[in-house]
């Protein structure tokens, strides 16, 4: 688990990982009380591209 500050200066706890045929990402935005859970049956590079894009769409701004 990683604890980070967002570009909005709020706290986020996150964890991601996977194996060759499955991957996941959990992001908990503590100050906003929002949890984003992303799972996919695909390779590791897919999560690293798509998960940030989904969150960016939610906040409508760029991420750290």
């Amino acid at each position: 688990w990683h604890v980070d500050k967002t570009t909005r200066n709020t706290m986020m706890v996150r964890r991601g990982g996977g194996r060759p045929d499955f991957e996941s990402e959990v992001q908990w935005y503590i100050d906003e009380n929002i949890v984003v859970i992303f799972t996919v049956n695909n390779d590791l590079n897919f999560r690293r591209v798509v998960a940030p894009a989904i969150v960016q769409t939610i906040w409508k701004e760029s991420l750290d």
Side-chain angles (χ1 to χ4, degrees), residues 19-48:
R19 54 183 206 207
D21 60 345
F22 177 81
E23 55 187 336
S24 64
E25 178 94 20
V26 175
Q27 298 177 355
W28 175 25
Y29 296 87
I30 297 170
D31 299 326
E32 293 92 355
N33 199 28
I34 292 174
V35 176
V36 176
I37 301 170
F38 179 80
T39 62
V40 64
N41 292 330
N42 203 316
D43 62 53
L44 293 174
N45 293 323
F46 189 76
R47 173 183 54 91
R48 292 186 180 118

Side-chain angles (χ1 to χ4, degrees), residues 1-15 26-36 55 59 61 63-64:
W1 293 95
H2 304 277
V3 178
D4 297 316
K5 285 238 181 204
T6 68
T7 57
R8 295 175 321 283
N9 202 31
T10 60
M11 297 302 295
M12 175 183 58
V13 178
R14 64 181 173 86
R15 179 72 177 158
V26 175
Q27 298 177 355
W28 175 25
Y29 296 87
I30 297 170
D31 299 326
E32 293 92 355
N33 199 28
I34 292 174
V35 176
V36 176
V55 173
W59 299 118
E61 62 182 47
L63 301 174
D64 311 289

